[in-house]
Amino acid sequence: MTRPVRAGLTALGCKVNYAEMAELAGRLAAAGIEVVGDDEPADVRVLNSCTVTLQADATTRQRISRLRRADPGAHLVVTGCSVDANPGRYPALADSVVANADKPRIADHILELVAARIESAAPAPPPPRRSRAFLKVQDGCDHRCTYCIVWRARGAVSRSLPLDEVLRRVDGALEDGHRELVLTGVDLGSWGHERGERLSSLVTAILDRLGGARLRLSSVNANDVTPALAELNAHPRLCAHWHIPLQSGSDAVLRAMHRGYRRSRYLRVVEQLRAADPDTELTTDVMVAFPGETEDDHAATLSLVAGAGFLHCHTFRWSPRPDTPAALLEGRVDDATAHRRSREVRRAAARTGMAARRRVVGRRLEVVWERVAGGEANGLSAGWHSVVAVPGPATAPGALEEVVVEAVEGEVLRATLPHS
């Protein structure tokens, strides 16, 4: 027999893309194809692209070039948001181009390409299992933020998996041994809205069947954090880590962005979450130098970053995207000012992040291990802290273990196992 047919899967950008590639990996493996990493030779490669910023489009093109150089004989499939946002760009760069709406057909397309080889190939090993299971439960977006093009790429209407289908996938992930499940969606907070349901009901149903595993929400907008959802933050199996995009701390800028919340709503959500669990950690996204942003607007963002006490803040400068309303706005901020404001937000977030890490020194945290190698284990706490420790006999990728935090080392917590 010949070796198994190999497929390399690469995801860029959001956790939704990673969830889609994990689902594709399962389908290919079930059909007898070996799923390999970026650094291994493959017969077919799939790149799931991102277009959230102009830099994301550039990263997609760079990754295509890198994959071509490293594996010139592989059939390259490019899909994802950059494909939909840039029609006509990728046929000259890839062997197959697949729109977001046609992603479910990628597995069948690959199987058609390699059908003859699969029949004569040796059985494929199971795909590498991620330490955490990413479950995509929603796609598309009803919002029209003035700077955003993702809704054009993902679909102008929110679409959700039915509750029973989500629970079926949850049960499958638990049966496969996953101890952390991550719910993902392009606009996760809108799950079920088209059927009159709410995310809080889905989370409640999942928590009721988790056992010793835990659940994490990937990203939820402040206007979608209802009191019922915030109350669930007290549940011991729901990770008390919330990624809530901020973008700006100024009401004037939020209004110009067409965000669905204002500063007071955002801060009220923070208060509600920490009332349910005082140890809640928050991460966010901030966009600086949106057209018309003044120094007072920028100061409002800095004060909110300090007040919310973010563990981490992804900061980026606004850049004009063609076909978005924001690209037509006046009052653009010059590059020097934009860079300065970006630095100031990063510094403010670095201070709150360090304070958050120092607060947990001496505490016990539950960690899911992501990598164990070279006498060191690296993992993630329920609160999104990066943790490193000397592994014990039961330490393995995907396992949940309790650790005691001993010290802060930069952006990482140094910990020990209680029995060591």
Side-chain angles (χ1 to χ4, degrees):
M1 284 188 175
T2 61
R3 65 165 176 79
V5 176
R6 292 174 175 164
L9 310 183
T10 302
L12 302 177
C14 68
K15 292 182 176 66
V16 176
N17 277 0
Y18 286 87
E20 290 170 341
M21 290 296 94
E23 184 175 345
L24 177 60
R27 289 190 62 189
L28 295 178
I33 293 179
E34 180 181 0
V35 179
V36 299
D38 278 359
D39 57 346
E40 299 178 68
D43 303 291
V44 180
R45 291 202 171 278
V46 181
L47 174 63
N48 201 359
S49 65
C50 176
T51 193
V52 68
T53 62
L54 291 176
Q55 181 56 49
D57 284 332
T59 299
T60 293
R61 296 192 297 273
Q62 292 163 4
R63 187 60 63 90
I64 289 174
S65 298
R66 187 188 308 173
L67 292 174
R68 284 296 203 196
R69 289 194 303 270
D71 209 354
H75 182 100
L76 178 61
V77 180
V78 177
T79 186
C81 292
S82 192
V83 166
D84 287 67
N86 302 281
R89 173 178 291 175
Y90 293 107
L93 303 177
D95 300 300
S96 300
V97 178
V98 180
N100 270 321
D102 295 326
K103 274 179 180 173
R105 303 175 189 168
I106 291 178
D108 291 336
H109 174 59
I110 292 175
L111 293 175
E112 289 174 4
L113 290 173
V114 300
R117 290 189 53 187
I118 290 178
E119 294 178 2
S120 62
R129 197 188 76 174
R130 297 181 66 92
S131 59
R132 299 178 289 148
F134 290 82
L135 306 179
K136 176 186 168 186
V137 301
Q138 184 276 337
D139 208 341
C141 186
D142 295 328
H143 306 303
R144 298 296 178 268
C145 298
T146 57
Y147 55 82
C148 185
I149 200 171
V150 171
W151 67 270
R152 294 180 184 272
R154 281 286 180 174
V157 177
S158 176
R159 308 175 304 281
S160 310
L161 283 183
L163 175 61
D164 57 352
E165 174 60 19
V166 176
L167 296 181
R168 185 187 69 79
R169 297 187 183 194
V170 165
D171 290 342
L174 294 174
E175 290 170 5
D176 288 342
H178 289 284
R179 305 301 305 281
E180 179 176 310
L181 280 55
V182 185
L183 291 189
T184 70
V186 173
D187 183 28
L188 179 60
S190 69
W191 179 90
H193 282 196
E194 71 270 30
R195 297 186 297 271
E197 299 175 283
R198 290 295 180 265
L199 181 60
S200 57
S201 63
L202 173 64
V203 173
T204 298
I206 295 173
L207 291 172
D208 286 343
R209 63 210 299 134
L210 279 183
R214 70 190 190 190
L215 177 68
R216 188 185 303 274
L217 306 183
S218 60
S219 179
V220 184
N221 286 320
N223 48 298
D224 291 318
V225 182
T226 61
L229 185 59
E231 288 176 6
L232 291 174
N233 193 42
H235 196 289
R237 303 320 299 163
L238 179 63
C239 292
H241 158 243
W242 294 74
H243 185 87
I244 307 178
L246 172 61
Q247 308 307 356
S248 175
S250 161
D251 282 350
V253 176
L254 290 172
R255 192 174 298 111
M257 290 178 169
H258 285 189
R259 298 294 289 173
Y261 53 87
R262 297 295 178 261
R263 176 190 181 91
S264 61
R265 173 65 182 271
Y266 195 100
L267 290 171
R268 185 164 64 251
V269 166
V270 171
E271 182 181 355
Q272 290 171 340
L273 291 172
R274 289 193 168 134
D277 185 341
D279 295 328
T280 297
E281 299 291 6
L282 298 169
T283 57
T284 196
D285 306 309
V286 169
M287 178 187 296
V288 302
F290 190 79
E293 183 187 71
T294 67
E295 287 299 325
D296 285 344
D297 296 325
H298 175 58
T301 297
L302 291 175
S303 69
L304 198 154
V305 168
F310 294 114
L311 173 65
H312 178 74
C313 177
H314 172 59
T315 308
F316 56 103
R317 299 182 301 279
W318 175 82
S319 60
R321 296 301 308 262
D323 300 321
T324 62
L328 304 176
L329 294 177
E330 298 180 352
R332 292 193 182 181
V333 178
D334 65 87
D335 286 346
T337 300
H339 280 276
R340 173 181 59 78
R341 291 177 182 174
S342 180
R343 288 194 303 271
E344 290 174 354
V345 172
R346 287 191 173 96
R347 288 169 184 163
R351 289 191 292 270
T352 60
M354 179 58 71
R357 287 186 287 276
R358 287 173 175 165
R359 278 196 301 269
V360 299
V361 173
R363 296 185 186 176
R364 291 184 174 228
L365 301 179
E366 186 185 66
V367 174
V368 61
W369 298 116
E370 298 188 306
R371 187 174 64 87
V372 181
E376 196 167 77
N378 295 267
L380 194 65
S381 78
W384 199 247
H385 291 282
S386 295
V387 179
V388 62
V390 175
T395 304
L400 277 179
E401 280 193 300
E402 194 175 69
V403 301
V404 178
V405 180
E406 300 289 344
V408 177
E409 297 178 355
E411 296 187 354
V412 176
L413 301 178
R414 172 66 63 176
T416 58
L417 301 179
H419 52 75
S420 60

